[in-house]
Amino acid sequence: MINFNKPYFTGKETEYIQQAVQGGKISGDGIYTKKCHQFFESKYGFKKCLLTTSCTDALEMAAILIDIKEGDEVIMPSFTFVSTANAFVLRGANIVFADSYFNNPNIDADAIEQLITPKTKAIVVVHYAGMACDMDKIIELANKYKLFVIEDAAQAIDSFYTNKLGEIKPLGSIGHLAAFSFHETKNIISGEGGMLVINDEQFIERAEIIREKGTNRSKFFRGEVDKYGWVDIGSSFLPSDIIAAFLYAQLENLENIQDRRKEIWNFYFEGLKTLEERKLIELPKIQNYATNNAHMFYIVCKDLEERTALITHLKNNNIGAVFHYLSLHKSPFFSNKYKGLELTNSDKFADCIVRLPLFFELTKTQIQLIINKINEFYGN
Ligand SMILES: *Cc1c(COP(=O)(O)O)cnc(C)c1O
């Protein structure tokens, strides 16, 4: 059986966890947490990084930080994971879903402006498959209507956007706030884990407080105040240093992991492009402003029926391919609340995407087998 995913261990994880344990401090913000923060801040120029226990938590922190209140509207794609929406729903926001592009699952930047009202407070973009959204247009709208931009960069580690001035920006450095995931299905992992990136300085002090149960404990540990107490709302969003120790071992191998994943991605692309040329499937399109971090390899089938048949065919050949994201506006939780437009592109990706196995240890022989079985399905 070729599983859909297999977490990759670099070999150093247990050693670093052992060191964290021996160091005698395994709660949050220990030595390894600081090493991870420094890694991200220096490699990607993020203004301030705070590890969290998940990307979901980082998104919840973002919703608190921009002061989402009952009735505020937040625009986001429907084709995304539930956490993108839940974080804001938890604070009473009304979610306004926008469609994807026809040939790209990301939010259609040209579909956003018509959804903006005086109640709109933020645009949440999701860099699907780690490929950038059209950020110039989105930032322009945000400036025009004074909205916050939050990047759900769960899948977008080590991926970049080239803006209209030709500047190359790491994803996660563009919005006011950004959230990354280190869930075991992502490129860089810690089992469960995430990170809030703060690019707008006005949020730094409060973010530290919210992450520490609404206390100013971070300031206390830095010696900036002589006692700490309850100063704001908050929760326990920070991970144990054991998690950070694991993550740091991954970060040290980031280039190696990324190189291998890109190799696998390109191998799939080469092996499947004749099917696209024959218009039997669609392959991912990398926009000229985006890079590919090889988070995901997906193909787009003609319709739901064909997709179901393909996944079954692969399963019968012991290959674990999956689909995901039922459009959120059609979910059991949201469909009776949804009053917006038809989101046909979002529905298309919900019905037609198949994700193929992509993990560090996947061999060329296995990839070739998967390619062969897909070609066989299409009668090649
Ligand atoms: C994985 C993912 C999340 C959730 O990440 P967790 O770390 O599991 O909370 C959120 N949004 C998107 C787009 C994701 O892919």
Side-chain angles (χ1 to χ4, degrees):
M1 181 75 195
I2 305 174
N3 287 333
F4 170 68
N5 185 50
K6 180 170 186 275
Y8 170 64
F9 305 108
T10 68
K12 286 272 195 164
E13 286 84 353
T14 43
E15 183 185 324
Y16 290 169
I17 287 172
Q18 204 169 8
Q19 280 177 17
V21 171
Q22 279 163 356
K25 187 187 183 299
I26 54 171
S27 57
D29 284 333
I31 292 165
Y32 280 102
T33 305
K34 293 197 175 93
K35 278 178 184 276
C36 292
H37 290 169
Q38 274 159 15
F39 177 94
F40 285 113
E41 286 164 9
S42 67
K43 185 165 176 75
Y44 299 113
F46 298 144
K47 195 155 281 168
K48 175 80 181 173
C49 294
L50 291 171
L51 292 191
T52 56
T53 49
S54 64
C55 177
T56 303
D57 270 358
L59 289 165
E60 285 177 28
M61 284 183 68
I64 297 172
L65 281 168
I66 63 165
D67 242 332
I68 291 289
K69 299 230 161 43
E70 196 78 34
D72 287 343
E73 292 176 2
V74 178
I75 299 173
M76 63 180 65
S78 178
F79 187 70
T80 183
F81 187 60
V82 291
S83 295
T84 321
N86 251 338
F88 297 87
V89 170
L90 277 169
R91 313 235 56 86
N94 292 329
I95 307 299
V96 178
F97 289 117
D99 209 356
S100 301
Y101 291 103
F102 179 72
N103 63 358
N104 170 357
N106 281 338
I107 190 167
D108 177 352
D110 296 317
I112 295 174
E113 191 163 18
Q114 59 178 320
L115 302 173
I116 295 173
T117 75
K119 288 185 175 165
T120 308
K121 187 129 189 199
I123 303 170
V124 185
V125 299
V126 181
H127 303 297
Y128 185 77
M131 293 184 200
C133 295
D134 191 350
M135 296 310 292
D136 280 338
K137 281 186 186 164
I138 291 161
I139 296 294
E140 202 172 297
L141 282 175
N143 289 340
K144 182 170 165 192
Y145 294 97
K146 306 220 167 353
L147 308 175
F148 291 113
V149 174
I150 294 170
E151 298 176 72
D152 179 340
Q155 308 175 3
I157 189 82
D158 203 50
S159 200
F160 299 84
Y161 173 76
T162 306
N163 71 13
K164 60 188 172 210
L165 303 173
E167 296 162 337
I168 298 170
K169 305 255 183 186
L171 300 188
S173 72
I174 305 167
H176 298 85
L177 299 162
F180 285 91
S181 175
F182 308 118
H183 184 264
E184 75 167 20
T185 51
K186 306 301 202 267
N187 293 26
I188 299 294
I189 63 173
S190 63
E192 303 281 350
M195 178 171 72
L196 178 72
V197 171
I198 302 151
N199 297 310
D200 183 337
E201 267 171 30
Q202 65 164 313
F203 294 119
I204 294 177
E205 191 176 338
R206 192 162 177 241
E208 288 185 334
I209 290 167
I210 289 166
R211 179 168 165 271
E212 271 280 22
K213 303 97 184 164
T215 72
N216 54 355
R217 193 165 165 176
S218 299
K219 270 192 158 172
F220 172 72
F221 281 133
R222 286 197 298 262
E224 293 166 24
V225 289
D226 57 13
K227 56 179 178 295
Y228 74 87
W230 188 13
V231 294
D232 201 338
I233 61 166
S235 190
S236 186
F237 289 120
L238 75 173
S240 153
D241 215 47
I242 293 176
I243 300 283
F246 188 107
L247 181 64
Y248 192 67
Q250 296 264 315
L251 293 177
E252 284 186 330
N253 280 273
L254 186 135
E255 273 179 40
N256 189 25
I257 292 170
Q258 289 300 92
D259 286 349
R260 177 72 192 124
R261 292 185 73 100
K262 285 178 195 168
E263 220 180 320
I264 294 170
W265 199 99
N266 290 329
F267 202 66
Y268 270 131
F269 193 86
E270 288 304 312
L272 293 168
K273 70 180 186 201
T274 51
L275 287 178
E276 181 172 60
E277 281 155 17
R278 293 175 52 210
K279 305 220 181 309
L280 293 167
I281 60 169
E282 286 172 46
L283 293 178
K285 306 254 174 328
I286 306 165
Q287 308 299 314
N288 54 14
Y289 49 71
T291 61
N292 173 25
N293 71 346
H295 170 59
M296 185 194 304
F297 195 91
Y298 68 86
I299 65 176
V300 187
C301 295
K302 178 168 69 37
D303 55 28
L304 179 60
E305 205 184 346
E306 184 180 288
R307 179 181 73 180
T308 309
L310 174 59
I311 290 177
T312 307
H313 173 75
L314 293 173
K315 194 169 164 217
N316 291 340
N317 286 284
N318 294 317
I319 297 161
V322 303
F323 64 86
H324 72 162
Y325 299 162
L326 304 166
S327 294
L328 293 182
H329 73 291
K330 290 199 167 164
S331 62
F333 177 72
F334 207 88
S335 57
N336 62 349
K337 305 176 186 61
Y338 188 68
K339 296 183 195 73
L341 306 164
E342 286 274 316
L343 305 176
T344 48
N345 298 331
S346 172
D347 292 342
K348 169 187 133 168
F349 289 113
D351 284 349
C352 303
I353 274 184
V354 180
R355 298 179 59 183
L356 303 178
L358 202 178
F359 51 87
F360 192 94
E361 288 162 86
L362 193 64
T363 65
K364 285 235 158 117
T365 317
Q366 289 175 316
I367 309 167
Q368 192 56 56
L369 174 78
I370 298 166
I371 292 168
N372 292 348
K373 291 297 165 190
I374 295 172
N375 276 309
E376 180 183 294
F377 177 83
Y378 285 102
N380 240 11

